Amino acid sequence: MLHFDTLKFYSVPCLPSDWRPPRWLVRDLGIFAGRLYFDFAEYPSICEVVRLPPHNALSSVEDGVETEKIPKPFTKAPPEFLQQWLLTRRKGQDFSHTPMGNVCCGKEVKEDSVYLACPGKVRDPA
């Protein structure tokens, strides 16, 4: 399966080979598009936008650079709004068994979850 989170799938003109999109752009476009699955590295950022504390809180400093400041919430209840938005985008299909469904319900998303597994990644059994 192709990964579209690099935003290089179909770009005109072609992007430089070393170009990387900002993480906030990938996250926000994913939410707007109704993406249900995400890389575990995006989990803390998604929790910040939805105003949920990440269950396994990571540092707010990545690669020596502080992450972007999250603006005021766009609604009084961001998780409920996100759930309604995804229901609309998914045309009523159930998504509660996906990582984004867990985020909407306030459940923990674990790094070793089956639905976050990448076929090319080898996991350390220890």
Side-chain angles (χ1 to χ4, degrees):
M1 181 173 184
L2 291 173
H3 292 277
F4 295 98
D5 59 355
T6 61
L7 303 180
K8 292 184 179 183
F9 179 66
Y10 188 73
S11 59
V12 176
C14 292
L15 294 167
S17 61
D18 61 343
W19 182 82
R20 301 283 182 261
R23 288 184 180 189
W24 64 265
L25 180 62
V26 173
R27 177 199 63 214
D28 291 355
L29 282 176
I31 290 172
F32 180 72
R35 182 176 64 160
L36 301 178
Y37 297 89
F38 51 84
D39 188 37
F40 186 74
E42 292 179 63
Y43 178 56
S45 177
I46 290 171
C47 285
E48 285 179 6
V49 168
V50 183
R51 299 291 194 257
L52 294 175
H55 296 283
N56 50 355
L58 300 175
S59 172
S60 63
V61 178
E62 298 174 9
D63 303 326
V65 178
E66 204 171 312
T67 57
E68 76 274 1
K69 300 292 183 219
I70 304 298
K72 287 177 58 175
F74 50 90
T75 180
K76 291 181 181 179
E80 290 81 10
F81 177 84
L82 179 61
Q83 186 174 22
Q84 291 302 314
W85 174 253
L86 292 174
L87 278 171
T88 302
R89 294 290 301 159
R90 308 304 299 176
K91 298 180 181 172
Q93 292 180 342
D94 181 36
F95 63 92
S96 60
H97 59 283
T98 66
M100 199 58 94
N102 285 351
V103 168
C104 289
C105 294
K107 296 179 184 174
E108 181 177 8
V109 176
K110 297 184 179 187
E111 186 172 13
D112 60 350
S113 297
V114 173
Y115 45 63
L116 293 179
C118 294
K121 259 188 189 175
V122 178
R123 294 191 179 178
D124 188 15

